[in-house]
Amino acid sequence: MTTTLAATAPGAGLGQGTVPRPRPAARPGQGSAVSLSGIPVASHLSRSELLLGQRTGEVGSVHSWELVTAVDGPGTRMTTFLAGCPLRCLYCHNPDTMTANRGLPVLADDLLARISRYRGVFAATGGGITLSGGEVLQQPAFARRVLRGAKNLGVHTVLDTSGFLGRNADDALLADVDLVLLDVKAGDETTYRRVTGRSLAPTLEFGRRLDALGIQTWIRFVLVPGLTDDPATIEPIADYAASLACVSRVEVLPFHQLGRDKWAELGLDYQLADTEPPSAALVAAVKEIFGSRGLTTY
């Protein structure tokens, strides 16, 4: 892939998930590094170059990345967390990815160079890359460039998104996506707005579009006692998932408190400090709701 921006020297290297996520490297000029866990940071760019690169997709605001297995899609995956998100989920365990200025500028080519290094691992495990966040589709030009580059490398691609900004994903971007992890936060408008501060409709619309395009989709749902555990919000999600031929799996993710300290560090109001994780019995009951619709549920 060719870029119009000079690269740095080569480096050495939803929604709520099931494991704690890494913290980003220090920002340039704040005491440390010129790389993001081995991926060069494009701190050499002027403001005008940075803005141009963001428009063309050559530069993205990246929070962090990690290698994980059996999380964020099949096999061993390089999950890259982009910074910035339009939702304000009450249970977000990565609140430090909510704003774009908490990320670091990274060239798409430098990210792809790191992806290329793991092609053998991906091939051996059936893995690949997962673009997550934050919200990936807040940076569609960057996502498009990285996904296209990954497909050119023969790497399996996953998009982890709330779907709220689904209209930012044109058909060309989605043509390079093998699997979408669609986070459906709630099945009724009232609960969805309480959880996210936004409307449910764009997520549902995006899921139907994925179905029309035949893109494999896993539905993700975070089970939070006292917030998303009412069958009145779960059953509509189950019905919706069952209506989409593209949905091959539903993941019920039990709420946890692994992100609580981040909220405190950022000075944010965390409203779920006293909420306990769901019991095994509650998780089983919710899985049964999805399973009763013939959905493969984890």
Side-chain angles (χ1 to χ4, degrees), residues 1 43 51 56 62 101 121 139 169-170 218 233 257 266 275 290:
M1 173 179 290
S43 55
L51 292 174
T56 63
V62 178
N101 63 7
V121 174
Q139 301 184 57
D170 59 23
W218 293 359
T233 199
Q257 292 284 5
L266 295 170
T275 301
F290 288 100

Side-chain angles (χ1 to χ4, degrees), residues 41-87:
V41 170
S43 55
H44 64 290
L45 298 178
S46 67
R47 177 172 175 78
S48 61
E49 289 173 327
L50 182 62
L51 292 174
L52 173 62
Q54 290 173 336
R55 286 197 298 271
T56 63
E58 295 171 272
V59 181
S61 179
V62 178
H63 173 270
S64 53
W65 68 274
E66 63 180 349
L67 283 180
V68 294
T69 300
V71 178
D72 301 329
T76 297
R77 311 204 66 80
M78 179 178 170
T79 300
T80 303
F81 301 91
L82 306 191
C85 182
L87 306 186

